[in-house]
Amino acid sequence: MAPEASPSPPGAGYITNGFPAPGLRQINRHITGHNAEGKGVFLSTGSGDHFRIMGEQQAIANILYSTQETPVELNGDVDIMKAKESEPPLHYRNGIVVRMIDFAPGVESPLHRAVSIDYGVVLEGVFELKLDSGESRIMRQGDVSIQRATAHQWKNITGGGTMPGRALFILLDCNDVIVNGQKMEGFLGDLEPYYKGRGDH
């Protein structure tokens, strides 16, 4: 008798056609600049430059923008070229990553820690934000988290785990974090393959 197949994880196979996830609307990203007279103009409109499906087609990350240094060099559109050419790591040393993630119904991220300060905004749906201490909070549309290099997980509980959800994450570099003499190290768990070889995390 053949062994029973393992049950698929929540949301497996949900992301079938890239960004956006089914049930979520397409977004517009507008980039501005200057014309020869110094007036503000729109340089481009799109939905992002780099997309990455994660898990068993359970989520998709959309890089809306990234910068590799602070202050940012805007002259000659250097920042635009860098953002377009290179898919960033989880975060950049001295830089910023703006990442939108669409989550399939019921999906829970692996426990992970970025040594950065992360601003997380729920755009659509309801999420549970869990910390490694066991504490958790429910976050709804418009709610914001300020992750200060803490180990955490995100779980999409929209519609009781039956609907997709979307969140926006802005990651900025920070100094080493020391707690009771111990340096907090970054780790990605099962997210590691999606960022391996692309710099710091």
Side-chain angles (χ1 to χ4, degrees), residues 1 16 41 43 52 54 58 61 68 72 94 109 112 117 132 138 155 157 174 177 181 198:
M1 188 167 64
T16 55
V41 294
L43 299 179
R52 185 170 288 266
M54 298 186 290
Q58 296 164 285
Q68 300 180 28
V72 180
N94 303 313
S109 74
H112 61 286
I117 183 165
D132 60 349
I138 302 300
K155 184 175 183 180
I157 58 173
C174 67
V177 178
R198 289 195 279 128

Side-chain angles (χ1 to χ4, degrees), residues 55-201:
E56 297 182 31
Q57 296 176 284
Q58 296 164 285
I60 183 164
N62 175 6
I63 304 299
L64 296 179
Y65 212 64
S66 63
T67 62
Q68 300 180 28
E69 65 279 316
T70 302
V72 180
E73 181 58 73
L74 302 184
N75 294 301
D77 295 339
V78 170
D79 60 312
I80 294 176
M81 290 184 286
K82 287 183 177 180
K84 190 172 186 65
E85 290 170 357
S86 302
E87 183 181 357
L90 187 62
H91 73 88
Y92 275 123
R93 286 279 179 206
N94 303 313
I96 297 172
V97 176
V98 183
R99 179 181 286 110
M100 180 180 289
I101 301 182
D102 286 359
F103 295 78
V107 166
E108 183 172 23
S109 74
L111 183 70
H112 61 286
R113 183 205 315 275
V115 183
S116 58
I117 183 165
D118 309 344
Y119 307 132
V121 185
V122 174
L123 300 180
E124 298 193 39
V126 183
F127 288 81
E128 182 180 11
L129 173 58
K130 303 178 182 180
L131 305 180
D132 60 349
S133 65
E135 294 187 38
S136 67
R137 294 289 186 273
I138 302 300
M139 294 183 58
R140 296 175 172 81
Q141 188 176 37
D143 288 346
V144 180
S145 67
I146 314 295
Q147 288 277 1
R148 301 174 61 253
T150 47
H152 63 282
Q153 295 174 280
W154 291 92
K155 184 175 183 180
N156 176 21
I157 58 173
T158 309
T162 66
M163 299 171 64
R166 173 179 285 168
L168 179 70
F169 304 98
I170 303 170
L171 286 74
L172 290 77
D173 195 22
C174 67
N175 293 327
D176 288 342
V177 178
I178 309 298
V179 179
N180 288 331
Q182 180 180 358
K183 179 181 175 182
M184 297 291 99
E185 300 287 353
F187 63 92
L188 295 176
D190 289 343
L191 294 174
E192 183 77 31
Y194 306 104
Y195 299 100
K196 188 175 181 180
R198 289 195 279 128
D200 296 316
H201 60 260

